[in-house]
Amino acid sequence: AAIRTGNVSKPAARPGPSLKARALRYLAAREHSRAELAAKLARFVTEQDAPDAVERVLDDLSAKGFINEARVAESLLHRRAGGLGNARVLHELRAKGVPPEVIEASAEQLRGTELARAQAVWRKKFGQLPQGAAERARQMRFLAARGFSGEVVRRVLNSPSHGDASS
């Protein structure tokens, strides 16, 4: 697949932007973990690229501070934690390939606010105590599906003052 220009033979140009340009474009949109970027960039590796081209690009971006796992976790917590429970947020971090020590630090940060977040989500969706077992089960499923622990769900639905996070 060589392009002939006169008598000089040149290798075919890469179709589209380079791996580094693609990585920077992804990072400009939002924070990405190293594992996420590796998966996204792997689709664009061509035969002209070295076998370790993706790793070299990621090493270079990490060295320059463009890839930071703690920022990825912080960004996800900021975007998603308000409406989700600890289990769901931590699952999303694991799915993004964030290292275990960063996930543990995020879990520690989330622990103290889960009840207040669950009460806010419950208040926004329902606002009143369930009338009957079927409605109670529906409200419990709603909160559980968003990753709130069973204990927190029970505390939200048993709380006499649904406006106070200290109950």
Side-chain angles (χ1 to χ4, degrees), residues 38-86:
K40 287 184 175 187
L41 293 177
R43 296 181 298 206
F44 300 104
V45 174
T46 64
E47 289 126 18
Q48 295 123 351
D49 293 320
D52 65 340
V54 171
E55 286 303 312
R56 284 195 330 227
V57 167
L58 296 177
D59 289 342
D60 182 43
L61 293 173
S62 292
K64 292 179 179 174
F66 287 109
I67 300 174
N68 183 314
E69 305 294 348
R71 276 198 324 253
V72 172
E74 184 181 317
S75 172
L76 190 125
L77 291 180
H78 179 72
R79 284 183 291 120
R80 304 283 286 158
L84 299 175
N86 294 359

Side-chain angles (χ1 to χ4, degrees), residues 4-21:
R4 289 225 173 250
T5 315
N7 291 342
V8 180
S9 198
K10 294 182 184 175
R14 165 185 288 282
S18 69
L19 292 175
K20 187 172 185 177

Side-chain angles (χ1 to χ4, degrees), residues 30-165:
R30 70 169 174 83
E31 296 288 345
H32 284 72
S33 69
R34 185 179 179 98
E36 280 183 297
L37 280 176
K40 287 184 175 187
L41 293 177
R43 296 181 298 206
F44 300 104
V45 174
T46 64
E47 289 126 18
Q48 295 123 351
D49 293 320
D52 65 340
V54 171
E55 286 303 312
R56 284 195 330 227
V57 167
L58 296 177
D59 289 342
D60 182 43
L61 293 173
S62 292
K64 292 179 179 174
F66 287 109
I67 300 174
N68 183 314
E69 305 294 348
R71 276 198 324 253
V72 172
E74 184 181 317
S75 172
L76 190 125
L77 291 180
H78 179 72
R79 284 183 291 120
R80 304 283 286 158
L84 299 175
N86 294 359
R88 179 92 172 264
V89 173
L90 297 176
H91 172 76
E92 288 186 15
L93 287 172
R94 279 187 216 94
K96 290 184 177 300
V98 174
E101 60 275 3
V102 176
I103 291 174
E104 184 55 40
S106 299
E108 195 62 40
Q109 190 177 347
L110 288 170
R111 275 190 195 103
T113 63
E114 188 174 29
L115 179 60
R117 288 182 287 121
Q119 287 176 327
V121 168
W122 176 86
R123 205 175 343 349
K124 182 177 179 184
K125 176 73 175 177
F126 301 106
Q128 62 184 7
L129 289 172
Q131 305 296 318
E135 178 62 18
R136 180 178 177 81
R138 186 172 83 84
Q139 290 185 14
M140 290 178 89
R141 280 192 309 273
F142 174 82
L143 291 171
R146 277 147 190 78
F148 293 105
S149 70
E151 174 62 26
V152 167
V153 170
R154 281 188 291 283
R155 287 179 67 190
V156 167
L157 293 178
N158 292 335
S159 175
S161 65
H162 282 76
D164 182 17

